Amino acid sequence: MILIGERINAGFKDIARAIRDHDPGPIADWARRQAAAGADYLDVNIGAASRDPADMAWLVGVVQEAVPTPISVDSNRPEVLKAGLSALDGRPALVNSTTADDAKLEQIVPLAAEYGAGIIGVAMDERGSPQDVTRRVENGAKIFVACVEAEIPPEKIFLDPVLMPIRFMQEQTPKVLEAIREYTLLSDPPPHISVGLSNIASKTKERSLIARTFLVMAMAVGLDAAICNVLDEELWAAVATAELILNREIYSDGYLKAFRMRRGQVDAR
Amino acid sequence: MILIGERINAGFKDIARAIRDHDPGPIADWARRQAAAGADYLDVNIGAASRDPADMAWLVGVVQEAVPTPISVDSNRPEVLKAGLSALDGRPALVNSTTADDAKLEQIVPLAAEYGAGIIGVAMDERGSPQDVTRRVENGAKIFVACVEAEIPPEKIFLDPVLMPIRFMQEQTPKVLEAIREYTLLSDPPPHISVGLSNIASKTKERSLIARTFLVMAMAVGLDAAICNVLDEELWAAVATAELILNREIYSDGYLKAFRMRRGQVDAR
């Protein structure tokens, strides 16, 4: 399971302020905390805190200086993505994200190919967010084909079926599970399949429970990546147990601790 | 989700003693506790505590006196099943269980039909427990056909793919998930699909976590019943959340409490 730390995002006030003030402190701190927790990638997003692509390059630089963890460069603006990618020191990276919109595909897929980065393809299009399984599958397949044509191999393609807040769009949730299963049939081996996990629990009172329950249910149908709160220890326990159930982790009485030691630095706390 | 309380089973020492001594106290107590927790059925099993079918009739009588909950009459001996069924006061019941073994099917399926009971069909056969998906599907289909031929409708048929202890047979666990999905394709509407949930976590140190994680993963692929520890509140929270994710429970901020009030008597504690 590939877990991408969500926390270095200007949607959080401390990060927005740090970006505006060019204060590396809180950013390096969240980078270290998420890396120590076992994040496979750190997502970085300047959001609405800045319109200047150079700020994404600065943000990537701060994170790189703090930790060796791969980076997920997150923006919906190609010029911001390019600035972030060009600041990379050679470590593995993800472009987060393209959609199935032709204008996006034409600009963002070549960027990922040029920099040798993986790419997250979100199953939205020029009409907006998908409301059914069919649109999710059509958009996912379109992105997949565009990436393969750009010679991005399946193991660097991450399809995202668009997880929505259960509080407001509950009927969409089982459709996301269906779309995940459909994505596993796109190729052999299949592409990675990822969600923005915290979306589902937005504005709910049981955020961790809803997020981790969805995550393991989605793992049962093929999900293998998520952008999420990697500081949530109950989420890690659920992931470790799901990996055990899927026979990807070997059982031992101390499997939870073994998993956390291998994936993070829990033992050192 | 249909949850069947596992606790009135002579595998537990207090129940074995109560059966041997014909002491209704502990049995009535566990019947009330599990019913209050929201069990849809109470499984009753005299196990090795007695060879006398009359003791199953006595056990069913004690439970019926204590609570109005439907009963799952649990034995691998047809004469014990018949004694339990004949003691029923007309409430809904399950026969737990037949296997795909011809000798079992020929004796036990007609019993369920005669008493108008549902039936759990465990995907074992004369060769023992299934070790792969194919055997699970073949045995499940064989049981399903035998039940339909006996005019037991799909909504009274529960197929059990044989969940095994993850500590000892870990490679079987993903095969159980695959078999569950295959069972959903047997008919439209599909039969119920049930597991003996506590089996998976036998002799492990994280019993509740492993059981509830498997349960929601299995719900994602079609499981809709389980014999389990209905006293486990974390299990209920996981089930309520999975039902929400599958869009079978309506979201509210208090969905956990609403689910428990409807399914049990948590509010009265």
Side-chain angles (χ1 to χ4, degrees):
Chain A
M1 196 68 189
I2 298 167
L3 297 188
I4 304 166
E6 71 186 2
R7 192 52 177 75
I8 303 176
N9 187 312
F12 294 97
K13 283 181 190 168
D14 58 342
I15 300 295
R17 191 202 57 73
I19 291 167
R20 281 193 301 263
D21 298 351
H22 276 214
D23 171 9
I27 294 158
D29 182 50
W30 278 112
R32 283 188 286 263
R33 287 177 65 183
Q34 294 183 102
D40 297 288
Y41 289 86
L42 299 181
D43 196 72
V44 299
N45 187 326
I46 59 172
S50 165
R51 295 286 302 166
D52 184 357
D55 283 336
M56 176 62 99
W58 174 81
L59 185 60
V60 166
V62 171
V63 172
Q64 284 186 143
E65 189 140 323
V67 295
T69 311
I71 291 177
S72 163
V73 182
D74 186 355
S75 175
N76 55 10
R77 296 170 57 209
E79 62 274 24
V80 173
L81 291 172
K82 188 173 176 63
L85 290 165
S86 64
L88 286 167
D89 60 8
R91 70 182 71 193
L94 284 176
V95 171
N96 183 12
S97 56
T98 186
T99 68
D101 185 336
D102 287 321
K104 294 274 186 189
L105 285 175
E106 284 161 20
Q107 292 183 80
I108 296 172
V109 172
L111 264 185
E114 177 186 348
Y115 286 91
I119 182 166
I120 298 177
V122 179
M124 309 200 319
D125 55 34
E126 49 276 27
R127 291 166 292 186
S129 290
Q131 300 296 321
D132 56 23
V133 176
T134 306
R135 181 76 60 81
R136 286 182 166 89
V137 173
E138 285 171 358
N139 286 344
K142 182 179 175 185
I143 294 166
F144 181 75
V145 169
C147 290
V148 169
E149 284 177 355
E151 298 187 354
I152 299 172
E155 65 266 24
K156 286 192 169 180
I157 306 171
F158 292 67
L159 297 183
D160 179 333
V162 190
L163 187 57
M164 295 167 175
I166 200 164
R167 181 180 173 137
F168 304 110
M169 307 189 77
Q170 194 182 344
E171 78 290 350
Q172 291 297 317
T173 316
K175 295 176 186 177
V176 173
L177 291 173
E178 275 188 70
I180 290 168
R181 171 160 288 267
E182 297 284 335
Y183 287 168
T184 65
L185 307 174
L186 278 173
S187 64
D188 185 14
H192 296 291
I193 306 168
S194 182
V195 292
L197 185 63
S198 297
N199 286 347
I200 191 175
S202 178
K203 312 280 184 196
T204 69
K205 292 194 173 173
E206 296 287 347
R207 285 162 55 178
S208 173
L209 177 63
I210 292 171
R212 68 179 184 264
T213 303
F214 178 83
L215 189 67
V216 298
M217 293 174 77
M219 287 172 72
V221 296
L223 190 84
D224 72 343
I227 303 177
C228 60
N229 175 10
V230 295
L231 279 302
D232 180 347
E233 283 301 323
E234 289 188 282
L235 184 71
W236 280 103
V239 167
T241 305
E243 295 277 34
L244 200 69
I245 286 167
L246 295 170
N247 202 26
R248 294 176 193 152
E249 288 287 321
I250 296 171
Y251 179 81
S252 71
D253 285 345
Y255 77 91
L256 282 181
K257 196 175 172 196
F259 186 80
R260 293 304 285 122
M261 282 178 68
R262 202 161 56 256
R263 290 293 300 262
Q265 297 169 2
V266 165
D267 56 328
R269 281 182 198 170
Chain B
M1 197 67 188
I2 298 168
L3 297 189
I4 304 166
E6 70 186 3
R7 191 54 176 75
I8 303 176
N9 187 312
F12 294 97
K13 283 181 187 168
D14 59 342
I15 300 295
R17 192 202 57 74
I19 291 168
R20 281 194 301 264
D21 298 350
H22 276 214
D23 172 9
I27 294 158
D29 182 49
W30 279 112
R32 283 188 286 263
R33 288 177 66 183
Q34 294 182 102
D40 296 287
Y41 289 85
L42 299 182
D43 196 72
V44 299
N45 188 326
I46 60 171
S50 165
R51 295 285 303 166
D52 185 356
D55 283 337
M56 177 61 101
W58 174 81
L59 186 59
V60 166
V62 171
V63 173
Q64 284 186 144
E65 190 140 320
V67 295
T69 312
I71 291 176
S72 162
V73 182
D74 185 356
S75 176
N76 55 11
R77 295 170 57 209
E79 62 275 24
V80 173
L81 291 172
K82 186 172 176 63
L85 290 165
S86 64
L88 286 168
D89 60 7
R91 71 183 69 193
L94 283 176
V95 171
N96 182 13
S97 56
T98 186
T99 67
D101 184 337
D102 288 321
K104 293 275 187 189
L105 286 175
E106 284 161 19
Q107 293 183 81
I108 295 173
V109 173
L111 264 185
E114 179 187 345
Y115 286 91
I119 183 167
I120 299 178
V122 179
M124 310 198 322
D125 56 33
E126 48 279 23
R127 291 165 291 185
S129 290
Q131 302 296 322
D132 56 23
V133 176
T134 306
R135 181 76 60 81
R136 287 182 166 89
V137 173
E138 285 172 356
N139 287 344
K142 183 179 174 184
I143 295 166
F144 181 76
V145 168
C147 290
V148 169
E149 284 178 355
E151 299 188 353
I152 299 173
E155 65 267 24
K156 287 191 168 179
I157 305 171
F158 292 67
L159 297 183
D160 179 332
V162 191
L163 188 56
M164 295 167 176
I166 201 164
R167 182 180 174 139
F168 305 110
M169 307 188 78
Q170 193 182 346
E171 78 289 351
Q172 292 296 317
T173 316
K175 295 176 187 177
V176 173
L177 292 173
E178 273 188 71
I180 290 169
R181 171 160 290 267
E182 296 285 335
Y183 287 168
T184 65
L185 307 174
L186 278 173
S187 64
D188 185 15
H192 295 292
I193 306 167
S194 183
V195 292
L197 185 63
S198 297
N199 286 346
I200 192 176
S202 178
K203 312 282 183 192
T204 69
K205 292 194 173 173
E206 296 287 346
R207 285 161 56 178
S208 173
L209 176 64
I210 292 171
R212 68 179 185 263
T213 303
F214 178 83
L215 190 67
V216 299
M217 292 174 78
M219 287 174 71
V221 296
L223 190 84
D224 71 345
I227 304 178
C228 60
N229 175 10
V230 296
L231 278 302
D232 180 347
E233 283 301 323
E234 289 187 283
L235 184 71
W236 281 103
V239 167
T241 305
E243 295 277 35
L244 200 72
I245 286 166
L246 295 169
N247 202 27
R248 294 176 193 150
E249 289 287 321
I250 296 171
Y251 179 82
S252 70
D253 285 345
Y255 78 92
L256 282 181
K257 196 175 173 197
F259 186 79
R260 293 303 286 122
M261 283 178 67
R262 202 161 57 255
R263 290 294 299 263
Q265 297 170 3
V266 165
D267 55 328
R269 283 183 197 168

